[in-house]
């Protein structure tokens, strides 16, 4: 049984109806997508700004109600948008650790909320649990009586992770958890996450725009473009051996020591307009391999090689 | 709390207000036990006695009642009504505002349109209408004044709440299983409370005045009960013949409202985080210079930063943001500066053109030479002529560097016209040319766009176009691609690379990304805690880092194609620059550190183009 199963999950944000005339079709932030995450797996989600990765994440934790589709966590469906219902099974670690902590609450109050609200624990039990969690994320207990502004980014992110752990979830959604951190601290947090996963048998959904980071931490990777899955594959092979031209573009764009600088694409600077989406493949306007069929028909996600799926009419040779 | 009072009483006017108000409050509180005449007993024989007459310190009114006694009892009543009205209005208004702001959508719309309707009436008319409906009387006046002020609080608090409700900690609270009412009470309320207090302190005076106004019209307190407004109203007919009867309550109203307003402004200034951080104190046009010691001699580099020291003086603390940095670029050269946040790389860049905000920034040593001329301490006009013209900047966030209300063509033209006398048509033509240079498609149409109509990558191109506008000799780019997506980043980097090759531009490129440095820069300098710890040709530094910090920093950054792995994290945190350790700043985190590393200053040493600040380098250089 997969830890997380998503079936045709989609989100359309309605647009304001004009005074006269019919309401325009909404903005499709996430087009129907299906995927599974196995227990103990880390699934990386990459894509550029506006590709729908944050909308997807917010739906998965119940902060946003899906327009269509269903979310199953360990076999039981969760289609309501009640964060408290989701909270016990799936938790969220935010991108900006400082703004995810209430500036006027002590760390102890922050940590106690999930224990009290989700698990109804009594005071002595809570204190014991907080000590356990703090020990596992390498934070000192004297931090508990301080306020968020007294912490550095790395420490604040550890507190964010500790809060997510306090809910004792099965799955943690990590939304750009290290983007706001300095590189030397980034590695500390990534290693901590890997360690916690093993220790508590967690399942991760790791959302980021940093290809090198996602490759270093994930088992499998999903590549999103314009609200749709364009490719799914194993972390070690997807960027080395991409089937979708967009994945290749991403991999070629990432700056790597020793690789000469060249612009991977010269034309097509404009991304597709969400208010006026192209009828066919959203990437066709930027794609060097695009033909007529790409501009009219949306490609389906098809099996291509071992453990790799891509949504492309003219996939790259492996 | 004590810090708050300290700030409050540093403001002399607020302190004066506080003294006057507490004197009045004290008087009013002890009124019942003072040996005063009964305020309501009439003695027609003693009417209109002048102040300082026997038995009546402030004289008597038209019915021979003791004015001092009426004044103190009236003040008591007016203050109580004003404060009660403020509390009621603040409670109801804030509740409405928080609910509207938190739930948003339709709830917000319905509530706020109702509030708008209340606000559409002139307040005194509305208050009169409410009193007319409820009948005259002090309680009804209180209700009217409170009701009239509810919209003010509702709108204020809603605005604050809307900003807070979108913050991530509210989402986090929902995920922790909190319900709506708990989130409002424990997450939102503590954050809006200071704003409520500020709004209240600035409106109490106003409400006392409004209550007095209603009483003056005979709609508030009813005779014989005294409040300040009704005292004024009753004295009106004798204003010419016996002015003291109206002057006495008039002065009291003036004192109360004045002191409350002065104190209220003081409270607002002391509580408002923006005012407290000194954001509203205007920085000087150039960074303050207090150089001690000798100025280094000129070199033949295009731009040379020599032993630059920039500090921030905040209260008693001195933050040594830049502690003796030397960098130099030649035409056509690209120099990378790598460092984590707080390493001083941005402050170094901003010091070049005196752009570090002063206060608190002070340049305390060294020189910055552009074509041999020292820019540190140069007159403002000379710096202004070079800013953007000879040395241009590209900043990290293109959205915050472009003015949202001007078309990009106008902003580009302005950049040109502030340095060169050209006609509008010429400037526009040049702007279009610049957009073409940075490869913006359809430049003729795009030149009339506003910044918000462009994507992040486009805006950064505009930022680059603006930097190029006057064909500068040096461009200082401070993390120009950090906020951008990788595909856009690759395009921007290629653009910068082409520009420097075609035009002989010198670029100082500040970043934290080794991949970017490797692709773009000829030489690289690594900064840690305000100092350069290693420098040299990019390839050499990356292949054989000599400083332990460089080596470990490279190791802890994952690189594409490396596969799944454990990263070699550096334990600990960078030091705070107001308390730097003696010796090597990296020693506390370094596993090779010896006692000698912590002893004294370590020099940046090495052959001509390669140098390292380490006693036990990883590689011999």
């Amino acid at each position: 049984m997969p830890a997380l199963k998503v079936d045709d999950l989609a989100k359309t944000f309605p647009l304001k109806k004009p005074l006269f005339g019919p309401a325009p079709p909404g903005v499709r932030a996430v087009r129907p997508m299906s995927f599974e995450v196995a227990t103990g797996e880390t699934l990386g989600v990459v894509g550029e700004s506006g590709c729908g990765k944050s909308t997807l994440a917010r739906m998965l934790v119940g902060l946003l109600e899906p327009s269509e589709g269903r979310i199953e966590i360990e076999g039981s469906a969760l289609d309501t948008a009640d964060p408290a219902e989701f909270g016990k099974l799936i938790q969220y670690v935010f991108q900006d650790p400082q703004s995810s902590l209430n500036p006027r609450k002590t760390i102890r109050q922050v940590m106690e909320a999930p224990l009290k609200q989700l698990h109804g624990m009594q005071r002595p039990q809570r204190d014991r649990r907080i000590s356990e969690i703090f020990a596992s994320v390498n934070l000192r207990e004297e931090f508990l009586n301080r306020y968020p502004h007294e912490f550095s980014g790395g420490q604040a992110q550890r507190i964010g992770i500790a809060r997510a752990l306090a809910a004792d979830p099965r799955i943690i959604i990590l939304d750009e958890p290290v983007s706001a951190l300095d590189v030397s601290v980034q590695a500390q947090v990534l290693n901590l996450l890997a360690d916690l996963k093993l220790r508590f048998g967690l399942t991760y959904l790791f959302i980021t725009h940093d290809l090198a980071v996602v490759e270093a931490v994930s088992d499998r990777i999903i590549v999103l473009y314009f609200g749709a899955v364009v490719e799914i594959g194993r972390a070690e092979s997807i960027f080395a051996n991409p089937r979708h031209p967009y994945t290749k573009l991403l991999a070629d764009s990432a700056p790597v020591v020793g690789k000469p600088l060249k612009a991977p694409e010269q034309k097509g600077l404009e991304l597709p307009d969400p208010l006026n989406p192209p009828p066919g493949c959203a990437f066709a306007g930027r794609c060097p391999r695009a033909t007529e069929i790409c501009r009219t028909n949306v490609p389906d996600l098809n099996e291509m090689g071992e453990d790799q799926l891509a949504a492309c009419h003219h996939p790259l040779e492996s | 709390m004590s810090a708050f009072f300290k700030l409050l009483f540093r403001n002399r006017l607020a302190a004066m207000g506080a003294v006057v108000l507490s004197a009045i409050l004290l008087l009013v509180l002890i009124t019942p036990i003072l040996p005063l005449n009964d305020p309501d007993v009439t003695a027609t024989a003693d009417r209109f006695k002048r102040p300082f007459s026997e038995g009546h310190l402030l004289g008597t009114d038209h019915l021979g009642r003791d004015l001092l006694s009426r004044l103190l009892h009236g003040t008591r009543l007016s203050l109580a009504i004003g404060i009660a009205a403020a509390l009621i209005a603040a409670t109801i208004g804030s509740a409405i505002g928080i609910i509207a702001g938190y739930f948003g959508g339709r709830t917000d719309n319905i509530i706020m349109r109702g509030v708008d309707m209340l606000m559409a009436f002139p307040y005194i008319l509305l208050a009169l209408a409410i009193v007319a409906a409820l009948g005259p009387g002090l309680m009804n006046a209180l209700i009217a004044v409170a009701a009239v002020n509810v919209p003010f609080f509702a709108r204020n608090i809603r605005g604050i709440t809307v900003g807070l409700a979108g913050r991530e900690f509210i989402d986090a609270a929902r995920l922790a299983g909190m319900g709506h009412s708990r989130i409002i009470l424990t997450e939102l309320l503590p954050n809006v409370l200071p704003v409520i207090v500020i709004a209240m302190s600035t409106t109490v005076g106003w409400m006392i005045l409004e209550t007095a106004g209603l009483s003056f019209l005979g709609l508030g307190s009813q005779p014989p009960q005294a409040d300040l407004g009704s005292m004024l109203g009753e004295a009106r007919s004798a204003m010419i013949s016996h002015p003291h009867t109206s002057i006495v309550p008039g002065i009291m109203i003036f004192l109360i409202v004045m002191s409350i307003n002065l104190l209220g402004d003081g409270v607002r200034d002391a509580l408002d985080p923006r005012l407290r951080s000194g954001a509203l104190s205007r920085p000087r046009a150039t960074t303050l210079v207090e150089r001690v010691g000798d100025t280094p001699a000129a070199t033949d580099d295009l731009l040379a930063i020599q032993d630059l020291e920039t500090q921030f003086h905040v209260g008693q603390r001195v933050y040594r943001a830049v502690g003796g940095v030397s960098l130099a670029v030649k035409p056509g050269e690209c120099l990378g500066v790598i460092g984590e946040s707080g390493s001083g790389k941005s402050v170094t860049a901003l010091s070049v053109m005196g752009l570090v905000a002063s206060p608190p920034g002070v340049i305390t040593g060294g020189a910055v030479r552009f074509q041999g001329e020292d820019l540190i301490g140069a007159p403002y006009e000379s710096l202004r002529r070079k800013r953007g013209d000879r040395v241009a900047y590209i900043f990290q966030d293109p959205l915050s560097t472009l003015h949202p209300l001007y078309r990009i063509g106008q902003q580009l033209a302005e950049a040109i016209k502030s340095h060169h006398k050209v006609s509008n048509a010429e400037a526009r033509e040049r702007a279009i040319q610049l957009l073409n240079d940075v490869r913006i498609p359809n430049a003729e149409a795009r030149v009339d766009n506003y910044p918000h109509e462009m994507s992040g990558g486009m805006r950064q191109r505009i930022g680059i176009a603006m930097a190029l506008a006057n064909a500068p000799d040096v461009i200082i780019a401070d993390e120009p691609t950090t906020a951008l997506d990788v595909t856009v980043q690759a395009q921007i980097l290629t653009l910068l690379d082409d520009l420097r090759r075609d035009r002989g531009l010198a670029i100082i490129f500040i970043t934290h990304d080794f991949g970017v440095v490797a692709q773009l820069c000829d030489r690289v300098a690594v900064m840690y805690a305000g100092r350069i710890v290693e420098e040299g040709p990019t390839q050499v530094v990356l292949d054989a880092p000599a400083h332990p910090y460089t080596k470990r920093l490279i190791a802890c950054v994952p690189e594409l194609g490396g596969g799944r792995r454990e990263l070699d994290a550096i334990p600990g945190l960078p030091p705070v620059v107001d308390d730097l350790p003696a010796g090597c700043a990296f020693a506390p985190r370094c596993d090779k550190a010896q006692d000698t590393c912590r002893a004294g200053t370590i020099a940046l040493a090495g052959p001509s183009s390669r140098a390292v600040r380490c006693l036990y380098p990883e590689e011999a250089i």
Side-chain angles (χ1 to χ4, degrees), chain A residues 66-191:
Chain A
S67 313
E68 303 163 34
R70 38 192 274 129
I71 301 164
E72 262 177 38
I73 296 172
E74 298 195 325
S76 55
L78 280 169
D79 318 295
T80 54
D82 178 12
E85 194 68 17
F86 280 74
K88 279 183 251 178
L89 294 169
I90 187 163
Q91 276 289 334
Y92 198 92
V93 173
F94 294 86
Q95 173 172 7
D96 182 351
Q98 287 290 353
S99 90
S100 74
L101 299 171
N102 189 339
R104 294 189 178 267
K105 280 191 159 183
T106 61
I107 303 308
R108 183 184 296 279
Q109 286 172 306
V110 168
M111 289 295 298
E112 280 189 331
L115 297 175
K116 225 174 354 188
Q117 305 299 326
L118 294 173
H119 296 288
M121 282 191 190
Q122 295 306 311
R123 182 80 204 233
Q125 232 181 326
R126 289 203 300 261
D127 288 349
R128 208 170 334 121
R129 183 92 179 100
I130 290 176
S131 308
E132 276 171 31
I133 297 168
F134 258 50
S136 60
V137 296
N138 307 330
L139 285 171
R140 289 201 294 274
E141 275 182 60
E142 66 206 55
F143 288 172
L144 284 170
N145 296 321
R146 298 200 197 158
Y147 286 89
H149 67 88
E150 300 174 52
F151 296 98
S152 69
Q155 288 170 331
Q157 192 58 291
R158 265 179 229 203
I159 294 167
I161 293 168
R163 171 176 55 194
L165 286 176
D168 198 16
R170 307 300 311 133
I171 306 169
I172 297 185
I173 311 270
L174 303 153
D175 188 359
E176 306 258 8
V178 295
S179 309
L181 306 180
D182 267 321
V183 278
S184 75
V185 181
Q186 181 175 320
Q188 295 172 7
V189 172
L190 289 176
N191 287 343

Side-chain angles (χ1 to χ4, degrees), chain B residues 267-306:
Chain B
V267 168
R268 185 196 58 203
D269 291 357
L271 275 181
D272 194 320
R274 270 180 315 153
L275 295 168
R276 201 165 39 182
S277 70
L280 293 190
S281 66
R282 254 182 70 157
R284 301 152 49 100
T286 62
T287 309
L288 195 67
V289 177
E290 280 173 9
R291 259 193 302 200
V292 285
D294 302 331
T295 318
T299 59
D300 60 350
D301 294 298
L302 176 61
L303 180 76
I305 300 170
Q306 301 168 309

Side-chain angles (χ1 to χ4, degrees), chain B residues 4 119 180 195 292 326 329 363 479 488 525 602:
Chain B
F4 164 72
M119 282 196 106
H180 291 311
V195 185
V292 285
S326 300
V329 277
I363 295 178
E479 306 241 11
V488 183
I602 297 158

Side-chain angles (χ1 to χ4, degrees), chain A residues 48-49 58 83 91 99 102 104-105 117 163 182 184 188 191 212 215 217-219 255 259 265 269-270, chain B residues 168-169 171-172 175-176 187 190-191 340-341 439 446 485 487 489 491 519 561-562 564 567 570 572 589:
Chain A
E48 298 183 278
S49 44
R58 291 174 66 82
Q91 276 289 334
S99 90
N102 189 339
R104 294 189 178 267
K105 280 191 159 183
Q117 305 299 326
R163 171 176 55 194
D182 267 321
S184 75
Q188 295 172 7
N191 287 343
E215 190 196 51
V217 300
S218 308
D219 298 303
K259 193 168 78 176
E265 60 173 345
L269 305 164
E270 299 274 4
Chain B
E168 289 175 342
F169 67 82
D171 284 341
L175 285 170
E187 303 283 328
N191 282 294
E340 299 180 78
S341 51
R439 300 190 202 126
R446 284 291 190 176
D485 285 325
T487 58
Q489 166 171 292
Q491 292 161 5
Q519 292 192 325
R564 194 185 157 99
L567 300 163
I570 309 176
R589 300 172 78 185

Side-chain angles (χ1 to χ4, degrees), chain B residues 511-575:
Chain B
T511 181
H512 62 264
D513 190 331
F514 283 104
V516 171
V517 165
Q519 292 192 325
L520 188 67
C521 301
D522 308 311
R523 286 188 299 125
V524 61
V526 182
M527 285 187 74
Y528 188 76
R531 290 215 167 107
I532 293 179
V533 294
E534 177 164 11
E535 65 182 344
T538 309
Q539 209 53 50
V540 181
V541 172
L542 292 180
D543 289 347
H547 198 284
Y549 174 65
T550 319
K551 181 170 176 161
R552 304 196 59 179
L553 195 61
I554 293 174
C556 77
V557 182
E559 194 173 280
L560 194 61
R564 194 185 157 99
R565 67 202 165 273
E566 177 95 346
L567 300 163
D568 303 314
I570 309 176
L573 294 170

Side-chain angles (χ1 to χ4, degrees), chain A residues 4 6 33-37 41-48 51 53 56 60 205-208 211 214 218-225 227-235 238-239 246-247 250 301 309:
Chain A
L4 173 71
V6 165
M33 59 173 68
S34 311
F35 57 85
E36 287 179 8
V37 191
E41 186 185 26
T42 299
L43 179 71
V45 178
V46 275
E48 298 183 278
C51 74
K53 41 186 203 298
L56 172 67
L60 290 178
L205 197 77
F206 196 106
I207 299 175
T208 182
L211 303 187
V214 82
S218 308
D219 298 303
R220 282 190 308 142
I221 291 173
I222 288 191
V223 182
L224 296 185
Y225 184 72
V229 177
V230 295
E231 187 158 4
I232 306 181
R234 283 216 299 264
I238 189 165
F239 295 122
Y246 176 65
T247 316
L250 277 183
L301 201 58
L309 294 95

Side-chain angles (χ1 to χ4, degrees), chain A residues 296-312:
Chain A
T296 51
N297 290 17
V298 179
D300 293 325
L301 201 58
N302 287 322
E303 196 88 29
M304 299 194 182
E306 200 189 347
D307 285 339
Q308 199 158 351
L309 294 95
C312 186

